[in-house]
C-alpha cells in the first residue's frame, strides 16, 4: 500500500488502484477489455461521454459492436454472475431498472481471478446470466454456460 495525496493505493495485478473503489475496478475492466478486443483483431472506439449505455465500440469485419464491460470476481461456487439491470441511488432511495438489450450488442465480463474477459450477447439471456469458471461439483454439463466457451467475441 502506498499513499498519494488523500488516496491509498494497492497494486492489483501490477496496476496501482485505489483500495476498495468500485470505479477503479470498472476502469480496470474497461482497459482489459480494450486490450483483449484489440488482440482479437478489433479496432476499439471510446465514446466521448459517460452517458452511453455502453463503454466501448468494437469495430471489425465491417460491423460495429457496442460493448458494456463488467468487472466480476468469482463467487464461492466458481461462477460469474451478471444482472442485466442498472442500479442508482438518489435522495428518494435506491432504484433498479432493466437495461435495454437493444442498446448493447455485447457484454464483456472481466474476471480478476482468471485475468480474462468473457463475452456474451444479452439478448440470448433473461434478466441475468451466469458463467461457470469452475466445473459444478455435481458434474452437471447440460445447460451450463462455461466461461471458457465465451472467451472470444461471438
Amino acid at each position: 500500500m502506498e499513499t498519494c495525496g488523500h488516496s491509498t493505493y494497492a497494486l492489483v495485478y501490477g496496476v496501482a488502484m485505489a483500495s476498495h473503489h468500485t470505479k477503479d475496478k470498472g476502469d480496470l475492466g474497461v482497459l482489459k477489455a480494450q486490450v483483449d478486443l484489440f488482440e482479437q483483431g478489433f479496432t476499439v472506439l471510446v465514446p466521448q461521454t459517460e452517458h452511453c449505455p455502453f463503454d466501448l465500440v468494437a469495430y471489425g469485419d465491417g460491423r460495429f459492436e457496442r460493448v458494456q464491460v463488467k468487472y466480476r470476481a468469482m463467487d464461492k461456487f466458481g461462477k460469474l454472475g451478471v444482472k442485466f439491470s442498472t442500479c442508482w441511488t438518489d435522495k428518494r432511495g435506491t432504484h433498479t431498472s432493466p437495461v435495454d438489450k437493444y442498446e448493447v450488442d455485447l457484454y464483456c465480463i472481466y474476471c480478476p481471478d482468471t485475468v480474462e474477459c468473457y463475452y456474451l450477447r444479452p439478448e440470448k439471456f433473461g434478466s441475468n446470466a451466469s458463467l461457470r469458471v469452475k466445473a459444478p461439483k455435481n458434474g452437471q454439463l447440460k445447460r451450463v454456460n462455461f466461461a471458457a466457451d465465451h472467451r472470444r467475441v461471438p
Side-chain angles (χ1 to χ4, degrees):
M1 295 273 191
E2 295 180 26
T3 58
C4 179
H6 299 288
S7 299
T8 302
Y9 291 86
L11 237 69
V12 178
Y13 296 109
V15 177
M17 290 180 50
S19 298
H20 305 290
H21 196 278
T22 304
K23 181 156 180 5
D24 289 334
K25 289 179 180 180
D27 290 345
L28 178 60
V30 170
L31 287 170
K32 294 288 190 172
Q34 288 174 322
V35 170
D36 194 63
L37 288 164
F38 176 79
E39 288 175 342
Q40 290 188 46
F42 288 91
T43 298
V44 179
L45 310 170
V46 180
Q48 293 298 305
T49 179
E50 290 187 9
H51 304 290
C52 288
F54 47 87
D55 296 308
L56 305 168
V57 176
Y59 177 75
D61 293 330
R63 69 178 205 252
F64 292 93
E65 301 276 5
R66 297 164 297 178
V67 183
Q68 174 65 42
V69 180
K70 298 293 182 187
Y71 178 107
R72 292 290 185 273
M74 276 190 301
D75 67 12
K76 65 182 179 179
F77 303 107
K79 295 186 301 185
L80 301 173
V82 179
K83 293 180 183 178
F84 300 115
S85 60
T86 184
C87 184
W88 72 96
T89 303
D90 62 18
K91 64 184 176 185
R92 293 178 304 207
T94 302
H95 312 277
T96 302
S97 135
V99 298
D100 184 344
K101 293 182 182 180
Y102 296 103
E103 291 185 336
V104 176
D105 303 305
L106 287 171
Y107 267 66
C108 171
I109 299 99
Y110 170 69
C111 177
D113 303 300
T114 62
V115 194
E116 292 187 322
C117 294
Y118 306 97
Y119 300 89
L120 50 90
R121 296 207 179 274
E123 77 272 4
K124 296 189 183 271
F125 296 88
S127 61
N128 59 60
S130 180
L131 299 179
R132 276 265 182 204
V133 175
K134 295 182 178 177
K137 288 185 178 182
N138 67 2
Q140 178 180 341
L141 297 175
K142 289 184 179 179
R143 297 196 327 217
V144 175
N145 289 309
F146 288 100
D149 297 335
H150 296 270
R151 274 289 298 124
R152 299 202 48 87
V153 172

